[in-house]
Every structure is written in C-alpha cells, then in structure tokens.
Amino acid sequence: MEKILNVFMRCILGTIAMYFINTALEKMGFTLGVGINAVTVLTSGILGFPGLLALYAIGFYKLL
C-alpha cells in the first residue's frame, strides 16, 4: 500500500512540475512543452525525477 501511495504522490508532483516547466518554457519562447496525459503522468510517477528529465530530453531531441 505504501508503494502505491508513493507512486500516486509522484504522479501528482510530476504533473505539477510539468505544468510549471511548460509554462516557464513557453514564457521563454520555447515550444518544447511535454503534454500532460496518462503516459507522461505515469512515467513521472513510476520513474520519478529521472523520468521527468527523460520526457523533456525526448522533447528536446524531437526539437532538433
């Protein structure tokens, strides 16, 4: 039960982080925003901060 709660909390925090990162990137003029959907929320929830970095790294790679 503790592990499920941990993943759920990371999902919530990852979603909040994605929202603020997307907003900051948009204000700086970058179109790198990662969409907030079930796949990205679960990625950040299961993998945590490295998963969040991986999502933005994939977005940066697609930008090149």
Side-chain angles (χ1 to χ4, degrees):
M1 184 67 183
E2 184 179 334
K3 289 184 180 186
I4 294 172
L5 183 61
N6 188 5
V7 169
F8 182 70
M9 291 302 294
R10 284 191 286 187
C11 285
I12 292 172
L13 292 175
T15 303
I16 293 169
M18 281 187 273
Y19 173 76
F20 285 116
I21 292 170
N22 287 343
T23 303
L25 288 174
E26 185 178 321
K27 286 185 180 184
M28 289 192 294
F30 294 107
T31 59
L32 181 67
V34 172
I36 298 175
N37 55 44
V39 175
T40 58
V41 169
L42 285 176
T43 301
S44 68
I46 293 171
L47 298 176
F49 186 69
L52 194 61
L53 287 178
L55 290 170
Y56 282 97
I58 292 169
F60 180 72
Y61 179 74
K62 289 171 65 176
L63 184 67
L64 296 176

